[in-house]
Amino acid sequence: MKNPTTFTLALIAGLTLLSCGIMTGCGEDQAKISAPSKAAVKQTLRTTALLGAVSDNAGPLKTGTVSLLSESGKTLASTELNNSQRYEIQVPAGTDLPVILSYTPGPNAPKDAQLISVVIHPDASKYDINPTTTAIAKQAKAMGGYTHNNMVQAAESTAHVPDANKTTSGFRGDPTTQYGGWH
């Protein structure tokens, strides 16, 4: 290049445009840039059976009610545990996801006795309900909602996961089932 000053000015202008346009937004509202995006609404395409086990830190829970709730809290379906920790509940076709599986030991049980698990993927059908899935769901909700990314981050920060298992290359199995049913 014949004129190094022209090259230097062009380089500085290019870097300024790059950092202004991509990195900082140059005066644009920063909240727009860092706001979490809302996940696209997924639906169940057909009636789906969800199944799993209910337990607490003391062991299996064999009485109580498992309810399927919309994200707003509307009851979509429910089933009773009849001397078994296993449940099966039907999700109606066309149900918007995420939905919440909620376990309540009885009608007069305190709110903190409720356990939950969140259904975010229309193709998964096994969801255990326990204190770990409850902690993961609460953490994901606090992070901005029940999105796949929030659920993964919440699971990694809530449940003990060895460093080798935090990537699919280190986990010897199906990575959608390794956190006990939140998938």
Side-chain angles (χ1 to χ4, degrees):
M1 179 168 261
K2 293 182 179 178
N3 188 347
T5 307
T6 305
F7 175 73
T8 305
L9 289 174
L11 182 62
I12 292 171
L15 290 176
T16 303
L17 285 173
L18 179 65
S19 68
C20 183
I22 294 175
M23 299 173 122
T24 64
C26 278
E28 289 184 23
D29 183 12
Q30 292 298 317
K32 289 181 189 175
I33 294 171
S34 62
S37 62
K38 183 79 171 165
V41 174
K42 294 181 184 177
Q43 287 186 332
T44 57
L45 299 178
R46 58 186 169 10
T47 300
T48 305
L50 300 178
L51 52 101
V54 182
S55 62
D56 63 9
N57 292 330
L61 298 171
K62 296 184 177 186
T63 60
T65 304
V66 175
S67 300
L68 181 69
L69 308 172
S70 68
E71 195 170 7
S72 64
K74 178 184 173 191
T75 301
L76 305 172
S78 65
T79 187
E80 295 291 324
L81 296 177
N82 293 317
N83 203 26
S84 171
Q85 79 177 86
R86 303 261 174 224
Y87 74 89
E88 184 171 331
I89 196 164
Q90 299 296 316
V91 181
T95 300
D96 289 341
L97 298 179
V99 291
I100 300 161
L101 287 164
S102 171
Y103 165 78
T104 307
N108 298 325
K111 183 74 170 166
D112 64 345
Q114 179 184 36
L115 299 172
I116 63 173
S117 187
V118 178
V119 178
I120 60 172
H121 295 295
D123 298 326
S125 62
K126 183 180 181 303
Y127 290 89
D128 291 340
I129 305 170
N130 56 52
T132 302
T133 61
T134 302
I136 291 168
K138 287 180 178 180
Q139 179 71 21
K141 183 72 167 178
M143 294 169 70
Y146 301 126
T147 64
H148 176 78
N149 288 339
N150 287 352
M151 296 294 284
V152 169
Q153 287 178 353
E156 288 177 349
S157 67
T158 303
H160 171 69
V161 181
D163 286 337
N165 277 4
K166 289 186 180 176
T167 64
T168 48
S169 65
F171 179 64
R172 296 175 202 39
D174 182 357
T176 63
T177 62
Q178 71 175 329
Y179 296 113
W182 59 263
H183 54 85

